Amino acid sequence: MSNISYCKPTASHPEAQLDPAFGTTKGNRSSRLQPLVSFLAKLSPLDVNATLLTTFHLLLAVSRLSSGAPFFVPLTPHEIIPSFSELPHRTSSKVLPLQGEGSRRLGPVNFGYYTNSLDLQGPISSYGEDNLLQSSLTAKELVLDVLKKRATEVDVDHCGPGEEDAFYVADMGEVYRQHMRWKMNLGRIKPFYAVKCNPDPEVLRLMAQLGNGFDCASKSEIDLALQTGIDPSRIIYAQPCKTKSYLRFAAEVGVKQMTFDNADELYKIKATFPDAELYLRILTDDSTSLCRLSMKFGASMDMARPLLELAYQLELKVVGVSFHVGSGAEDPSAFLKAVTDARMVFDQAGEVGHELHTLDVGGGFCQDSFEKFAGILGEAVDTYFPPHIRVIAEPGRYYVATAYTLAANVIARRDIPDPTDPSRDAYMLYLNDGVYGNFSNIIFDHQHPIAQVLTCASEPGTPNSATSEKITYSIWGPTCDGIDVISEKIDLPGLLNTGDWLYFEEMGAYTKCSATRFNGFSDNHEVIYISSETGASALLNY
């Protein structure tokens, strides 16, 4: 790889070929440039399937795939792609295959303009955790650039109603990196993305392209998943207590996999969808999770065998066991206990007469603790379940929480004495978004979004500039309700005023999906999609 040079297409030779003898372009010797670590070509179905695409980076250490397909080398963005200020939100480059025996030329493959997330010196052999981290840090700087560009385009003194509304920047490259991280740590477990967490069609489209399944809990979520073009077998209707009409709909569209945890549900399924493939959801200890689910769902271990026997008597097909340790789980040992319980239920099901083939380990995965949880879960699964048992999971916030950044405008300010030091000034800031909007995660998901200054109109170097001593603020939403508070107290640099912008990271989970129109404020805010990874860009045709 270190001997490969790159070329950029010219007007006269838009698809300049690489000369394998020299590692340069025929007729156009360009300077040697290092390859990108974040690499993925979107191949035709004749080349590889979506599952192979998600692990293609692991094959970069060998000279060619087993099928004989050659490497594909991305053109460097440094010469092709101008600075962000010169760009629209999307642009494209090409991927050129190395020439050689059995090679084929592909048409153009679109990349997002942030394809230069990370350059490496020397050959690429894997997509390691250090590379993921560095790429993610670089991507944050790029997201901040997009936020600032969009915010500075708004003139609050002359814009039309709503033009200064809050908006998102969504980095699909971050979702892609999370998928790579998943494959490195839990390669045996197939993700079924929890649609409820963030049903953004662009996220669902990427999930489908990555080969993931979908965890759905309603007709609308099933509809959204099917709209990506996937086969219904890639959906699990993971709602133990289902609406009858939704069950009939699932039967009509061929969504067979579904969960249950009680006898009444079995009778309902027998009458409505007797060909369904059922997963018995068992109770788990989720006492340390952010959002507990065991209070509402899950059959106790004492009830597992009677339910399996009833399903057998009703001639219903039980194919697996599922559990969920709670959204935002904090105790990794909960996974270990749940896996051992699931093993017991598998054994009971075999004694009753069922042939189980799938374990669903649910969700609960978080950004900060993922590797720790994955280590315990992966070892437990390998210990208690042989390789022929399929294992799936239902991650949601894990994939999208860090991919979305929200910017909100300061619409008003009040001066008040600092509650902790009356001799100092403090301020109440009012934003055009709050807990009835995209900050619904404060109420429903127990989150604490942290404000950061995006723009501050105070002149640099003045006492009120964003580089001066920090000032105490409380931050409020736009509605008339007193509970609409985002931060009760926070210290920020500089004196913020009406028209300035704040931004909030990690706003991709349980935010936009649970926003309301209370007080007449919008629940439909602009999302600017970017990609800091060439893999995601190729799959999404950015």
Side-chain angles (χ1 to χ4, degrees):
M1 291 290 289
S2 59
N3 293 324
I4 297 173
S5 295
Y6 295 77
C7 68
K8 58 181 179 181
T10 63
S12 58
H13 301 285
E15 295 187 4
Q17 295 181 357
L18 290 175
D19 186 338
F22 298 98
T24 56
T25 59
K26 295 180 179 178
N28 180 17
R29 308 294 190 193
S30 63
S31 60
R32 186 158 59 195
L33 297 166
Q34 297 299 329
L36 301 177
V37 66
S38 50
F39 165 74
L40 181 66
K42 185 180 181 183
L43 306 177
S44 70
L46 294 177
D47 294 304
V48 288
N49 61 27
T51 301
L52 181 55
L53 283 175
T54 64
T55 54
F56 188 66
H57 60 282
L58 299 176
L59 303 173
L60 289 174
V62 297
S63 60
R64 68 180 63 243
L65 300 175
S66 59
S67 63
F71 281 129
F72 290 83
V73 182
L75 279 74
T76 173
H78 301 289
E79 295 189 4
I80 299 173
I81 300 174
S83 64
F84 169 72
S85 61
E86 302 173 280
L87 284 169
H89 291 316
R90 294 177 183 175
T91 185
S92 65
S93 61
K94 291 178 182 290
V95 171
L96 300 180
L98 293 179
Q99 300 302 298
E101 183 180 355
S103 66
R104 286 174 295 197
R105 179 170 300 283
L106 297 181
V109 177
N110 293 327
F111 284 146
Y113 53 78
Y114 287 143
T115 56
N116 56 337
S117 59
L118 182 60
D119 288 342
L120 290 184
Q121 300 295 321
I124 304 171
S125 60
S126 68
Y127 202 138
E129 292 180 12
D130 291 341
N131 295 335
L132 284 173
L133 177 60
Q134 185 174 346
S135 185
S136 182
L137 292 174
T138 304
K140 284 190 175 184
E141 298 176 4
L142 302 174
V143 168
L144 188 58
D145 287 343
V146 180
L147 288 166
K148 287 181 177 178
K149 181 179 186 296
R150 171 67 177 82
T152 54
E153 290 174 350
V154 179
D155 180 356
V156 296
D157 293 323
H158 301 95
C159 68
E163 290 184 17
E164 75 274 57
D165 277 357
F167 66 93
Y168 285 98
V169 172
D171 180 11
M172 296 296 102
E174 176 67 10
V175 179
Y176 181 86
R177 278 188 295 275
Q178 289 294 88
H179 186 70
M180 293 296 101
R181 189 179 172 193
W182 182 282
K183 300 296 286 186
M184 286 189 296
N185 289 277
L186 289 174
R188 179 181 173 183
I189 303 177
K190 181 181 178 65
F192 276 56
Y193 173 68
V195 176
K196 62 179 178 293
C197 177
N198 184 335
D200 189 320
E202 202 72 354
V203 171
L204 303 187
R205 192 161 69 91
L206 179 56
M207 292 295 169
Q209 290 295 318
L210 289 169
N212 288 350
F214 294 90
D215 155 26
C216 299
S218 67
K219 175 188 178 298
S220 294
E221 290 184 357
I222 292 173
D223 275 331
L224 287 170
L226 290 175
Q227 286 169 14
T228 67
I230 63 163
D231 189 88
S233 63
R234 286 168 61 180
I235 296 175
I236 181 169
Y237 192 176
Q239 162 60 280
C241 302
K242 294 167 284 296
T243 305
K244 280 187 176 182
S245 63
Y246 293 2
L247 265 176
R248 290 192 292 271
F249 172 77
E252 291 170 3
V253 298
V255 175
K256 289 187 173 183
Q257 298 178 94
M258 59 186 64
T259 59
F260 74 99
D261 66 0
N262 64 87
D264 287 349
E265 193 72 9
L266 288 176
Y267 288 116
K268 186 195 306 178
I269 294 171
K270 175 64 176 178
T272 310
F273 194 1
D275 294 330
E277 299 174 355
L278 306 181
Y279 294 68
L280 173 56
R281 177 159 171 173
I282 59 174
L283 197 64
T284 59
D285 178 10
D286 60 359
S287 56
T288 63
S289 299
L290 280 176
C291 301
R292 299 182 63 184
L293 303 175
S294 62
M295 295 182 293
K296 189 172 184 179
F297 300 119
S300 67
M301 293 299 291
D302 291 340
M303 287 300 302
R305 189 180 188 101
L307 288 172
L308 292 169
E309 291 173 346
L310 176 59
Y312 190 78
Q313 293 169 9
L314 294 174
E315 298 182 336
L316 293 174
K317 187 176 182 181
V318 179
V319 299
V321 174
S322 75
F323 60 78
H324 201 302
V325 297
S327 185
E330 297 180 0
D331 181 10
S333 65
F335 272 114
L336 177 58
K337 178 63 164 61
V339 170
T340 57
D341 286 348
R343 177 69 262 177
M344 292 177 60
V345 176
F346 259 71
D347 294 339
Q348 291 175 352
E351 294 169 0
V352 170
H354 296 290
E355 296 181 2
L356 273 56
H357 55 62
T358 302
L359 172 67
D360 180 358
V361 299
F365 306 95
C366 296
Q367 165 78 5
D368 296 336
S369 59
F370 176 67
E371 277 73 20
K372 180 179 180 180
F373 275 62
I376 293 175
L377 175 61
E379 183 177 356
V381 166
D382 289 341
T383 299
Y384 292 99
F385 290 90
H388 71 274
I389 298 297
R390 184 180 73 141
V391 187
I392 66 175
E394 301 169 3
R397 75 172 72 244
Y398 164 81
Y399 268 104
V400 295
T402 55
Y404 282 64
T405 304
L406 179 71
N409 188 252
V410 178
I411 60 173
R413 188 190 73 183
R414 287 178 60 192
D415 302 359
I416 59 172
D418 188 331
T420 60
D421 184 0
S423 66
R424 297 180 58 206
D425 289 332
Y427 300 88
M428 299 174 67
L429 297 180
Y430 297 83
L431 305 185
N432 54 358
D433 203 349
V435 300
Y436 286 95
N438 293 301
F439 292 94
S440 59
N441 59 345
I442 296 175
I443 303 296
F444 298 122
D445 199 37
H446 313 289
Q447 297 299 305
H448 305 281
I450 299 175
Q452 299 181 69
V453 177
L454 181 61
T455 67
C456 181
S458 300
E459 291 295 327
T462 66
N464 294 333
S465 71
T467 57
S468 63
E469 182 180 355
K470 290 188 176 182
I471 297 174
T472 300
Y473 298 92
S474 59
I475 303 176
W476 303 77
T479 69
C480 298
D481 194 337
I483 71 167
D484 194 1
V485 56
I486 298 168
S487 297
E488 294 184 359
K489 181 182 178 182
I490 186 171
D491 293 333
L492 295 172
L495 182 60
L496 295 161
N497 208 336
T498 302
D500 289 331
W501 291 82
L502 299 178
Y503 73 100
F504 302 79
E505 296 178 325
E506 300 188 18
M507 290 290 287
Y510 303 102
T511 52
K512 186 179 175 70
C513 62
S514 49
T516 74
R517 296 184 181 182
F518 178 66
N519 255 175
F521 292 99
S522 176
D523 64 346
N524 185 21
H525 293 92
E526 177 188 12
V527 179
I528 301 171
Y529 300 97
I530 67 169
S531 177
S532 59
E533 291 287 343
T534 54
S537 303
L539 292 173
L540 293 170
N541 292 320
Y542 281 6

